[in-house]
Every structure is written in structure tokens, then in C-alpha cells.
Coordinates of all heavy atoms in Angstrom, one line a residue:
R119 N 5.1 -4.2 11.9 CA 5.1 -5.6 11.6 C 6.0 -5.8 10.3 O 6.3 -4.9 9.7 CB 3.6 -6.0 11.3 CG 3.0 -5.4 10.0 CD 1.7 -5.8 9.7 NE 0.8 -4.8 10.1 CZ -0.5 -4.9 10.2 NH1 -1.1 -6.0 10.0 NH2 -1.3 -3.9 10.5
T120 N 6.3 -7.0 10.0 CA 7.1 -7.3 8.9 C 6.2 -7.6 7.7 O 5.3 -8.3 7.7 CB 8.0 -8.6 9.1 OG1 8.8 -8.3 10.3 CG2 8.9 -8.9 8.0
V121 N 6.5 -6.9 6.6 CA 5.8 -7.0 5.3 C 6.8 -7.3 4.2 O 8.0 -7.1 4.4 CB 5.0 -5.8 5.0 CG1 3.9 -5.5 6.0 CG2 5.9 -4.5 4.8
R122 N 6.3 -7.9 3.1 CA 7.2 -8.2 2.0 C 6.9 -7.2 0.9 O 5.8 -7.0 0.5 CB 6.9 -9.7 1.6 CG 7.9 -10.2 0.6 CD 7.8 -11.7 0.4 NE 6.4 -12.1 0.3 CZ 5.7 -12.3 -0.9 NH1 6.4 -12.1 -2.0 NH2 4.5 -12.7 -0.9
L123 N 8.0 -6.7 0.3 CA 7.9 -5.8 -0.8 C 8.3 -6.5 -2.1 O 9.3 -7.1 -2.2 CB 8.8 -4.6 -0.7 CG 8.7 -3.7 0.6 CD1 9.7 -2.6 0.6 CD2 7.3 -3.2 0.7
V124 N 7.4 -6.5 -3.1 CA 7.6 -7.2 -4.3 C 7.5 -6.2 -5.5 O 6.5 -5.5 -5.7 CB 6.5 -8.3 -4.6 CG1 6.7 -9.0 -5.9 CG2 6.4 -9.2 -3.4
T125 N 8.7 -6.0 -6.2 CA 8.8 -5.1 -7.3 C 9.3 -5.9 -8.5 O 10.4 -6.5 -8.3 CB 9.7 -3.9 -7.0 OG1 9.2 -3.3 -5.8 CG2 9.7 -2.9 -8.1
P126 N 8.7 -5.8 -9.7 CA 9.2 -6.6 -10.8 C 10.6 -6.2 -11.1 O 11.0 -5.0 -11.1 CB 8.3 -6.1 -12.0 CG 7.0 -5.7 -11.3 CD 7.4 -5.1 -10.0
G127 N 11.5 -7.2 -11.4 CA 12.9 -6.9 -11.7 C 13.8 -6.8 -10.5 O 15.0 -6.6 -10.7
R128 N 13.2 -6.9 -9.3 CA 14.0 -6.8 -8.1 C 13.7 -8.0 -7.2 O 12.7 -8.6 -7.3 CB 13.6 -5.5 -7.3 CG 13.9 -4.2 -8.0 CD 13.6 -3.1 -7.0 NE 13.8 -1.8 -7.7 CZ 13.4 -0.7 -7.2 NH1 12.8 -0.7 -6.0 NH2 13.5 0.4 -7.8
E129 N 14.7 -8.3 -6.3 CA 14.5 -9.3 -5.4 C 13.5 -8.9 -4.3 O 13.5 -7.7 -3.9 CB 15.9 -9.7 -4.7 CG 15.8 -10.9 -3.9 CD 17.2 -11.3 -3.4 OE1 18.2 -11.2 -4.2 OE2 17.3 -11.8 -2.3
D130 N 12.6 -9.8 -3.9 CA 11.7 -9.5 -2.8 C 12.4 -9.1 -1.6 O 13.5 -9.6 -1.3 CB 10.8 -10.7 -2.5 CG 9.8 -11.0 -3.7 OD1 9.9 -10.3 -4.7 OD2 9.0 -12.0 -3.5
M131 N 11.8 -8.2 -0.8 CA 12.5 -7.7 0.4 C 11.5 -7.7 1.6 O 10.4 -7.2 1.4 CB 13.0 -6.3 0.1 CG 13.6 -5.6 1.3 SD 14.1 -3.8 0.8 CE 15.2 -4.1 -0.5
A132 N 12.0 -8.1 2.7 CA 11.1 -8.0 3.9 C 11.6 -6.8 4.7 O 12.8 -6.6 4.9 CB 11.3 -9.3 4.8
V133 N 10.6 -6.0 5.2 CA 10.9 -4.8 5.9 C 9.9 -4.6 7.1 O 8.8 -5.2 7.0 CB 10.9 -3.5 5.1 CG1 11.9 -3.5 4.0 CG2 9.5 -3.2 4.5
K134 N 10.3 -3.9 8.1 CA 9.4 -3.6 9.2 C 8.7 -2.3 8.8 O 9.3 -1.3 8.4 CB 10.2 -3.3 10.5 CG 10.8 -4.5 11.1 CD 9.9 -5.3 11.9 CE 10.6 -6.4 12.7 NZ 9.8 -7.2 13.4
A135 N 7.3 -2.3 8.8 CA 6.6 -1.2 8.4 C 5.3 -1.0 9.3 O 4.9 -2.0 9.9 CB 6.2 -1.3 7.0
F136 N 4.8 0.1 9.3 CA 3.5 0.4 10.0 C 2.4 0.5 9.0 O 2.5 1.3 8.0 CB 3.6 1.7 10.8 CG 2.4 2.2 11.4 CD1 1.9 1.7 12.6 CD2 1.6 3.2 10.8 CE1 0.8 2.1 13.2 CE2 0.5 3.7 11.4 CZ 0.0 3.1 12.6
L137 N 1.3 -0.3 9.1 CA 0.2 -0.2 8.2 C -1.0 0.2 9.0 O -1.3 -0.4 10.1 CB 0.0 -1.5 7.5 CG 1.0 -2.1 6.6 CD1 0.6 -3.4 6.0 CD2 1.3 -1.1 5.5
Q138 N -1.9 1.0 8.4 CA -3.1 1.4 9.1 C -4.1 1.8 8.1 O -3.8 2.4 7.1 CB -2.8 2.7 10.0 CG -4.0 3.2 10.6 CD -3.7 4.4 11.5 OE1 -2.7 4.4 12.3 NE2 -4.5 5.5 11.4
P139 N -5.4 1.4 8.3 CA -6.4 1.8 7.3 C -6.5 3.3 7.2 O -6.4 4.0 8.2 CB -7.7 1.2 7.9 CG -7.3 0.1 8.8 CD -5.9 0.6 9.3
V140 N -6.8 3.8 6.0 CA -7.0 5.2 5.8 C -8.4 5.5 6.3 O -9.4 5.0 5.8 CB -6.9 5.6 4.3 CG1 -7.3 7.0 4.0 CG2 -5.4 5.4 3.8
L141 N -8.5 6.4 7.3 CA -9.7 6.8 7.8 C -9.9 8.3 7.5 O -9.3 9.1 8.1 CB -9.8 6.5 9.3 CG -9.5 5.1 9.8 CD1 -9.4 5.0 11.3 CD2 -10.6 4.2 9.2
D142 N -10.8 8.5 6.6 CA -11.1 9.9 6.3 C -12.6 10.1 6.1 O -13.4 9.2 6.3 CB -10.3 10.4 5.1 CG -10.5 9.5 3.8 OD1 -11.6 8.8 3.8 OD2 -9.7 9.6 2.9
R143 N -13.0 11.3 5.7 CA -14.4 11.5 5.6 C -15.0 10.9 4.3 O -16.2 10.7 4.2 CB -14.7 13.0 5.6 CG -14.4 13.6 7.0 CD -14.7 15.1 7.0 NE -14.3 15.6 8.3 CZ -14.0 16.8 8.6 NH1 -13.9 17.7 7.6 NH2 -13.6 17.2 9.8
D144 N -14.2 10.6 3.3 CA -14.6 10.0 2.1 C -14.9 8.5 2.3 O -14.1 7.9 3.0 CB -13.6 10.2 1.0 CG -13.4 11.7 0.6 OD1 -14.3 12.5 0.8 OD2 -12.3 12.0 0.2
S145 N -16.0 8.1 1.7 CA -16.3 6.7 1.8 C -15.2 5.9 1.0 O -14.7 6.3 0.0 CB -17.6 6.4 1.2 OG -17.9 5.0 1.0
Q146 N -15.0 4.6 1.5 CA -14.1 3.8 0.7 C -14.9 2.9 -0.3 O -14.3 2.1 -1.0 CB -13.3 2.9 1.7 CG -12.2 3.7 2.4 CD -11.0 2.8 2.8 OE1 -10.7 1.9 2.1 NE2 -10.4 3.2 3.9
M147 N -16.1 3.3 -0.5 CA -16.9 2.6 -1.5 C -16.8 3.4 -2.8 O -17.0 4.6 -2.8 CB -18.4 2.5 -1.1 CG -18.6 1.7 0.2 SD -18.0 0.0 0.1 CE -19.4 -0.7 -0.8
Q148 N -16.5 2.7 -3.9 CA -16.3 3.4 -5.2 C -17.1 2.7 -6.2 O -17.3 1.5 -6.2 CB -14.8 3.3 -5.6 CG -13.8 4.0 -4.6 CD -14.1 5.5 -4.6 OE1 -14.3 6.1 -5.6 NE2 -14.0 6.1 -3.4
P149 N -17.6 3.5 -7.2 CA -18.4 2.9 -8.3 C -17.6 2.0 -9.2 O -16.4 2.3 -9.4 CB -19.0 4.1 -9.0 CG -18.1 5.3 -8.6 CD -17.5 5.0 -7.3
S150 N -18.2 1.0 -9.7 CA -17.6 0.1 -10.6 C -18.7 -0.4 -11.6 O -19.8 -0.1 -11.4 CB -17.0 -1.1 -9.9 OG -18.0 -2.1 -9.6
P151 N -18.3 -1.0 -12.7 CA -19.3 -1.5 -13.7 C -20.4 -2.4 -13.0 O -21.5 -2.5 -13.5 CB -18.5 -2.2 -14.7 CG -17.2 -1.6 -14.6 CD -17.0 -1.3 -13.2
L152 N -20.0 -3.0 -11.9 CA -21.0 -4.0 -11.3 C -21.6 -3.4 -10.0 O -22.2 -4.1 -9.2 CB -20.2 -5.3 -10.9 CG -19.6 -6.0 -12.0 CD1 -18.8 -7.2 -11.5 CD2 -20.7 -6.5 -13.0
G153 N -21.5 -2.1 -9.9 CA -22.1 -1.4 -8.7 C -21.0 -0.9 -7.8 O -19.8 -0.8 -8.2
L154 N -21.3 -0.6 -6.5 CA -20.3 -0.1 -5.6 C -19.4 -1.3 -5.1 O -19.9 -2.4 -4.9 CB -21.0 0.5 -4.4 CG -21.7 1.8 -4.6 CD1 -22.4 2.3 -3.3 CD2 -20.7 2.9 -5.1
C155 N -18.1 -1.0 -5.0 CA -17.2 -2.0 -4.4 C -16.3 -1.3 -3.4 O -16.1 -0.1 -3.5 CB -16.4 -2.7 -5.5 SG -15.3 -1.6 -6.4
R156 N -15.8 -2.0 -2.5 CA -15.0 -1.4 -1.4 C -13.6 -1.2 -2.0 O -13.0 -2.2 -2.5 CB -14.9 -2.3 -0.2 CG -14.2 -1.7 0.9 CD -14.5 -2.5 2.2 NE -13.7 -2.0 3.3 CZ -14.0 -0.9 4.0 NH1 -15.0 -0.2 3.7 NH2 -13.2 -0.5 5.0
E157 N -13.0 -0.1 -1.8 CA -11.7 0.3 -2.2 C -10.8 0.4 -0.9 O -10.8 1.4 -0.3 CB -11.6 1.6 -3.0 CG -10.3 2.0 -3.4 CD -10.3 3.4 -4.0 OE1 -10.4 4.3 -3.3 OE2 -10.1 3.5 -5.2
E158 N -10.2 -0.7 -0.5 CA -9.5 -0.7 0.8 C -8.1 0.0 0.6 O -7.3 -0.4 -0.1 CB -9.3 -2.1 1.3 CG -10.6 -2.7 1.7 CD -10.3 -4.1 2.3 OE1 -9.5 -4.2 3.2 OE2 -11.0 -5.0 1.8
R159 N -8.0 1.1 1.3 CA -6.7 1.9 1.2 C -6.1 1.8 2.6 O -6.7 1.8 3.6 CB -7.0 3.4 0.8 CG -7.5 3.5 -0.6 CD -7.9 4.9 -0.9 NE -9.1 5.3 -0.1 CZ -9.4 6.5 0.2 NH1 -8.7 7.5 -0.2 NH2 -10.5 6.7 0.9
M160 N -4.7 1.8 2.5 CA -3.9 1.7 3.7 C -2.8 2.7 3.7 O -2.3 3.1 2.6 CB -3.3 0.3 3.9 CG -4.2 -0.9 3.9 SD -5.1 -1.0 5.5 CE -3.9 -1.8 6.5
L161 N -2.5 3.2 4.9 CA -1.3 4.1 5.0 C -0.1 3.2 5.4 O -0.2 2.3 6.2 CB -1.6 5.1 6.2 CG -0.4 6.0 6.6 CD1 0.0 6.9 5.5 CD2 -0.8 6.7 7.8
Y162 N 1.0 3.5 4.7 CA 2.2 2.7 4.9 C 3.3 3.7 5.4 O 3.4 4.8 4.9 CB 2.7 2.1 3.6 CG 4.1 1.5 3.6 CD1 4.3 0.2 3.8 CD2 5.2 2.3 3.3 CE1 5.6 -0.3 3.7 CE2 6.5 1.8 3.3 CZ 6.7 0.5 3.5 OH 7.9 0.0 3.4
L163 N 4.0 3.3 6.5 CA 5.1 4.1 6.9 C 6.3 3.1 7.1 O 6.2 2.2 8.0 CB 4.9 4.8 8.3 CG 6.0 5.7 8.8 CD1 6.3 6.8 7.8 CD2 5.6 6.3 10.1
G164 N 7.3 3.2 6.3 CA 8.4 2.3 6.3 C 9.7 2.9 6.3 O 9.8 4.2 6.3
P165 N 10.8 2.1 6.3 CA 12.2 2.7 6.3 C 12.5 3.4 5.0 O 12.1 3.1 3.9 CB 13.0 1.4 6.4 CG 12.2 0.3 5.8 CD 10.8 0.7 6.1
G166 N 13.3 4.5 5.2 CA 13.8 5.2 4.0 C 14.9 4.4 3.3 O 15.4 3.4 3.9
G167 N 15.2 4.8 2.2 CA 16.3 4.1 1.4 C 15.7 2.8 0.7 O 16.4 2.2 0.0
V168 N 14.4 2.6 0.9 CA 13.8 1.5 0.2 C 12.8 2.1 -0.8 O 11.8 2.6 -0.4 CB 13.0 0.5 1.2 CG1 12.3 -0.6 0.4 CG2 14.0 -0.1 2.2
E169 N 13.1 2.0 -2.1 CA 12.3 2.7 -3.1 C 11.0 1.9 -3.3 O 11.0 0.7 -3.6 CB 13.0 2.9 -4.4 CG 12.3 3.7 -5.4 CD 13.1 3.9 -6.7 OE1 14.0 3.1 -7.0 OE2 12.8 4.8 -7.4
L170 N 9.9 2.6 -3.2 CA 8.6 2.0 -3.6 C 8.1 2.7 -4.9 O 8.1 3.9 -5.0 CB 7.5 2.3 -2.5 CG 7.8 1.8 -1.1 CD1 6.7 2.2 -0.1 CD2 8.0 0.3 -1.1
L171 N 7.8 1.9 -5.9 CA 7.4 2.4 -7.2 C 5.9 2.4 -7.3 O 5.3 1.3 -7.3 CB 8.1 1.6 -8.3 CG 9.6 1.5 -8.2 CD1 10.1 0.6 -9.3 CD2 10.2 2.9 -8.4
P172 N 5.2 3.5 -7.4 CA 3.8 3.6 -7.6 C 3.3 2.7 -8.8 O 3.9 2.7 -9.9 CB 3.5 5.0 -7.8 CG 4.6 5.8 -7.2 CD 5.8 4.9 -7.4
R173 N 2.3 1.9 -8.6 CA 1.6 1.1 -9.5 C 2.5 -0.1 -10.0 O 2.2 -0.9 -10.9 CB 1.2 1.8 -10.7 CG 0.2 3.0 -10.4 CD -1.0 3.0 -11.3 NE -1.8 4.1 -10.9 CZ -3.0 4.0 -10.4 NH1 -3.5 2.9 -10.0 NH2 -3.7 5.1 -10.1
E174 N 3.7 -0.3 -9.3 CA 4.5 -1.4 -9.6 C 4.8 -2.3 -8.3 O 4.7 -3.5 -8.4 CB 5.9 -1.0 -10.2 CG 5.8 -0.4 -11.6 CD 7.1 -0.1 -12.2 OE1 8.1 -0.9 -12.0 OE2 7.2 0.9 -12.9
T175 N 5.2 -1.6 -7.2 CA 5.5 -2.3 -6.0 C 4.3 -2.8 -5.3 O 3.3 -2.1 -5.2 CB 6.3 -1.4 -5.1 OG1 7.5 -1.0 -5.7 CG2 6.7 -2.2 -3.8
V176 N 4.3 -4.0 -4.9 CA 3.2 -4.6 -4.1 C 3.7 -4.9 -2.7 O 4.8 -5.4 -2.5 CB 2.7 -6.0 -4.8 CG1 1.8 -6.7 -3.9 CG2 2.1 -5.7 -6.1
V177 N 2.9 -4.5 -1.7 CA 3.2 -4.8 -0.3 C 2.4 -6.0 0.1 O 1.1 -5.9 0.1 CB 2.9 -3.5 0.6 CG1 3.2 -3.9 2.0 CG2 3.7 -2.3 0.1
A178 N 3.0 -7.1 0.5 CA 2.3 -8.3 1.0 C 2.3 -8.3 2.5 O 3.4 -8.3 3.1 CB 2.9 -9.5 0.3
D179 N 1.2 -8.4 3.1 CA 1.0 -8.5 4.5 C 0.2 -9.7 4.8 O -1.0 -9.7 4.8 CB 0.3 -7.2 5.1 CG 0.1 -7.3 6.6 OD1 0.9 -8.0 7.3 OD2 -0.8 -6.6 7.1
G180 N 0.9 -10.9 5.0 CA 0.2 -12.1 5.1 C -0.5 -12.4 3.7 O 0.1 -12.3 2.7
A181 N -1.8 -12.8 3.8 CA -2.5 -13.1 2.6 C -3.0 -11.8 1.8 O -3.3 -11.8 0.7 CB -3.8 -13.9 2.9
A182 N -3.0 -10.6 2.5 CA -3.4 -9.4 1.9 C -2.3 -8.8 1.1 O -1.1 -8.8 1.5 CB -3.8 -8.4 3.0
R183 N -2.7 -8.3 -0.1 CA -1.7 -7.7 -1.0 C -2.2 -6.3 -1.4 O -3.3 -6.2 -1.8 CB -1.5 -8.6 -2.3 CG -0.9 -9.9 -2.0 CD -0.9 -10.9 -3.1 NE -0.9 -10.4 -4.4 CZ 0.2 -10.2 -5.1 NH1 1.4 -10.5 -4.6 NH2 0.2 -9.7 -6.4
Y184 N -1.3 -5.3 -1.4 CA -1.6 -4.0 -1.6 C -0.7 -3.4 -2.7 O 0.5 -3.6 -2.6 CB -1.5 -3.1 -0.4 CG -2.4 -3.6 0.7 CD1 -1.9 -4.5 1.7 CD2 -3.7 -3.1 0.9 CE1 -2.7 -4.9 2.7 CE2 -4.5 -3.5 1.9 CZ -4.0 -4.4 2.8 OH -4.8 -4.9 3.9
E185 N -1.2 -2.6 -3.6 CA -0.4 -2.0 -4.6 C -0.1 -0.5 -4.1 O -1.0 0.1 -3.6 CB -1.2 -1.9 -5.9 CG -0.4 -1.2 -7.1 CD -1.2 -1.1 -8.3 OE1 -2.3 -0.4 -8.3 OE2 -0.9 -1.7 -9.3
V186 N 1.1 -0.1 -4.3 CA 1.5 1.2 -3.9 C 0.9 2.2 -4.9 O 1.1 2.0 -6.1 CB 3.1 1.3 -3.9 CG1 3.5 2.8 -3.7 CG2 3.7 0.4 -2.9
R187 N 0.2 3.2 -4.4 CA -0.4 4.2 -5.3 C 0.3 5.5 -5.3 O 0.4 6.2 -6.3 CB -1.9 4.4 -4.9 CG -2.8 3.3 -5.1 CD -2.7 3.0 -6.6 NE -3.5 1.8 -7.0 CZ -4.6 1.9 -7.7 NH1 -5.0 3.1 -8.1 NH2 -5.3 0.9 -8.0
S188 N 0.9 5.9 -4.2 CA 1.7 7.2 -4.1 C 2.7 7.1 -3.0 O 2.4 6.3 -2.0 CB 0.8 8.4 -4.0 OG 0.1 8.4 -2.7
T189 N 3.8 7.8 -3.1 CA 4.8 7.7 -2.0 C 5.4 9.1 -1.8 O 5.3 10.0 -2.7 CB 6.0 6.8 -2.4 OG1 6.7 7.4 -3.5 CG2 5.6 5.4 -2.7
R190 N 5.9 9.3 -0.6 CA 6.6 10.5 -0.3 C 7.7 10.2 0.8 O 7.4 9.5 1.7 CB 5.6 11.5 0.3 CG 6.2 12.9 0.6 CD 5.2 13.9 0.9 NE 4.0 13.5 1.4 CZ 3.1 14.2 2.1 NH1 3.4 15.4 2.4 NH2 2.0 13.7 2.6
S191 N 8.8 10.8 0.7 CA 9.9 10.7 1.6 C 9.6 11.7 2.8 O 9.2 12.8 2.5 CB 11.2 11.0 1.0 OG 12.2 10.9 1.9
V192 N 9.7 11.2 4.0 CA 9.5 12.1 5.2 C 10.7 12.0 6.2 O 11.4 11.0 6.1 CB 8.2 11.8 5.9 CG1 7.0 12.1 5.0 CG2 8.1 10.3 6.4
G193 N 10.8 13.0 7.0 CA 11.8 12.9 8.1 C 13.2 12.9 7.5 O 14.1 12.1 7.8
D194 N 13.5 13.8 6.5 CA 14.8 13.9 5.9 C 15.2 12.6 5.3 O 16.4 12.3 5.3 CB 15.8 14.4 6.9 CG 15.6 15.9 7.3 OD1 15.0 16.6 6.5 OD2 16.0 16.2 8.5
G195 N 14.3 11.9 4.7 CA 14.6 10.6 4.0 C 14.7 9.4 4.9 O 15.0 8.3 4.5
H196 N 14.4 9.6 6.2 CA 14.5 8.5 7.1 C 13.4 7.5 7.0 O 13.5 6.3 7.4 CB 14.6 8.9 8.6 CG 15.8 9.7 8.9 ND1 17.1 9.1 9.0 CD2 16.0 11.0 9.1 CE1 18.0 10.0 9.2 NE2 17.4 11.2 9.3
H197 N 12.2 8.0 6.5 CA 11.0 7.1 6.3 C 10.4 7.4 5.0 O 10.6 8.4 4.4 CB 10.0 7.4 7.4 CG 10.5 7.0 8.8 ND1 11.3 7.9 9.6 CD2 10.4 5.9 9.5 CE1 11.6 7.3 10.7 NE2 11.1 6.1 10.7
V198 N 9.6 6.4 4.6 CA 8.8 6.5 3.4 C 7.3 6.4 3.8 O 6.9 5.5 4.5 CB 9.1 5.5 2.3 CG1 8.2 5.5 1.1 CG2 10.5 5.6 1.9
W199 N 6.5 7.3 3.3 CA 5.1 7.4 3.5 C 4.4 7.0 2.2 O 4.8 7.5 1.2 CB 4.7 8.8 4.0 CG 3.2 9.0 4.1 CD1 2.5 8.9 5.3 CD2 2.3 9.5 3.2 NE1 1.2 9.2 5.1 CE2 1.1 9.6 3.8 CE3 2.4 9.9 1.8 CZ2 -0.1 10.1 3.1 CZ3 1.3 10.3 1.2 CH2 0.1 10.4 1.8
A200 N 3.4 6.1 2.2 CA 2.8 5.7 1.0 C 1.3 5.4 1.2 O 0.9 5.1 2.4 CB 3.4 4.5 0.4
I201 N 0.5 5.5 0.2 CA -0.9 5.1 0.2 C -0.9 3.8 -0.6 O -0.4 3.8 -1.8 CB -1.8 6.2 -0.4 CG1 -1.8 7.4 0.4 CG2 -3.2 5.6 -0.6 CD1 -2.5 7.3 1.8
L202 N -1.6 2.8 -0.1 CA -1.7 1.5 -0.7 C -3.2 1.2 -1.0 O -4.0 1.7 -0.3 CB -1.2 0.4 0.2 CG 0.2 0.6 0.9 CD1 0.5 -0.5 1.8 CD2 1.3 0.8 -0.1
Q203 N -3.4 0.4 -2.0 CA -4.8 0.0 -2.3 C -4.8 -1.5 -2.5 O -3.9 -2.1 -3.1 CB -5.3 0.6 -3.6 CG -6.7 0.2 -3.9 CD -7.3 0.9 -5.1 OE1 -6.7 1.8 -5.7 NE2 -8.5 0.5 -5.5
R204 N -5.7 -2.1 -1.8 CA -5.8 -3.6 -1.8 C -6.1 -4.1 -3.2 O -6.9 -3.6 -3.9 CB -6.9 -4.1 -0.8 CG -6.8 -5.6 -0.7 CD -7.4 -6.1 0.6 NE -7.3 -7.5 0.7 CZ -7.4 -8.2 1.7 NH1 -7.8 -7.6 2.8 NH2 -7.3 -9.5 1.7
L205 N -5.3 -5.2 -3.5 CA -5.6 -5.9 -4.8 C -6.6 -7.0 -4.6 O -6.7 -7.5 -3.5 CB -4.2 -6.5 -5.3 CG -3.1 -5.5 -5.6 CD1 -1.8 -6.3 -5.8 CD2 -3.5 -4.7 -6.8
E206 N -7.3 -7.3 -5.6 CA -8.3 -8.4 -5.6 C -7.6 -9.7 -5.3 O -6.5 -9.9 -5.8 CB -9.1 -8.5 -6.9 CG -9.9 -7.2 -7.2 CD -11.1 -7.1 -6.3 OE1 -11.7 -8.1 -5.9 OE2 -11.4 -5.9 -5.9
D207 N -8.3 -10.5 -4.5 CA -7.7 -11.8 -4.2 C -7.7 -12.6 -5.5 O -8.6 -12.6 -6.3 CB -8.5 -12.6 -3.2 CG -8.5 -11.9 -1.8 OD1 -7.5 -11.2 -1.5 OD2 -9.5 -12.0 -1.1
E208 N -6.5 -13.3 -5.7 CA -6.4 -14.2 -6.9 C -7.1 -15.5 -6.7 O -7.2 -16.0 -5.6 CB -4.9 -14.4 -7.2 CG -4.2 -13.1 -7.5 CD -2.7 -13.4 -7.7 OE1 -2.3 -14.6 -7.7 OE2 -2.0 -12.4 -7.9
V209 N -7.7 -16.0 -7.8 CA -8.5 -17.2 -7.7 C -7.7 -18.4 -8.2 O -6.9 -18.3 -9.1 CB -9.8 -17.1 -8.5 CG1 -10.6 -18.4 -8.4 CG2 -10.6 -15.9 -8.0

């Protein structure tokens, strides 16, 4: 699907990427000062040559916005693999 990459100091960019919820044995429920809250994590697989900056780049998929947490180049630099975490909806 097409997502929008937003990085401070750079022009927004639309790219084709694969997004999928992270499904592992660990719960996506994490403790917070107000009790347990859902920590929605997504796997991102997108084109190489597009730098994603952890804790700076935001991936916008429609109304959902995800912050890049970690990245890795795969396939001899042809693709970028990243873990994203959903940002709280703005009021």
C-alpha cells in the first residue's frame, strides 16, 4: 500500500510499503502510569534508498501514524525493514 513518510527537515514522501502487525508471543499490552495500555507495533518493509530515522520518521497510513523505532537494511540494500509503534491520536 502507499504510505507517507514524514521526517523533520525533509519533504514528505509517498512510498509503496508492506505493513503488518507484529505477532509474537509477547503481549502488546504495556504498563503505564494509568495502568495497562496497548502498544501497537507494526512491521514495515519498504524500498531501499529511503532513509528512515528511528524516533524521528513517522509513517502515516491513512489516519494511523506510526513512529519508526528501529530499522535494518535487507536484501543488499534493496529493502528497509523497520519496527513501528503507533502514536497516540491527536486531539
Side-chain angles (χ1 to χ4, degrees):
R119 67 177 108 193
T120 300
V121 297
R122 189 168 45 95
L123 304 179
V124 180
T125 304
R128 295 185 187 170
E129 190 171 323
D130 292 2
M131 178 184 300
V133 298
K134 293 273 188 184
F136 174 78
L137 296 179
Q138 175 179 316
V140 172
L141 302 175
D142 56 20
R143 293 184 182 152
D144 296 332
S145 169
Q146 289 210 29
M147 300 300 283
Q148 299 294 321
S150 77
L152 299 175
L154 290 178
C155 65
R156 184 164 177 79
E157 179 187 73
E158 294 184 50
R159 293 176 292 157
M160 299 287 278
L161 171 67
Y162 167 98
L163 183 63
V168 177
E169 184 179 23
L170 302 178
L171 302 175
R173 305 225 184 251
E174 290 185 39
T175 301
V176 171
V177 177
D179 181 25
R183 294 167 32 92
Y184 300 92
E185 181 180 65
V186 174
R187 290 304 179 108
S188 64
T189 66
R190 183 171 25 160
S191 180
V192 295
D194 294 330
H196 294 287
H197 295 88
V198 173
W199 174 91
I201 294 292
L202 313 176
Q203 182 175 354
R204 186 157 185 167
L205 295 170
E206 295 293 323
D207 295 330
E208 296 176 6
V209 180

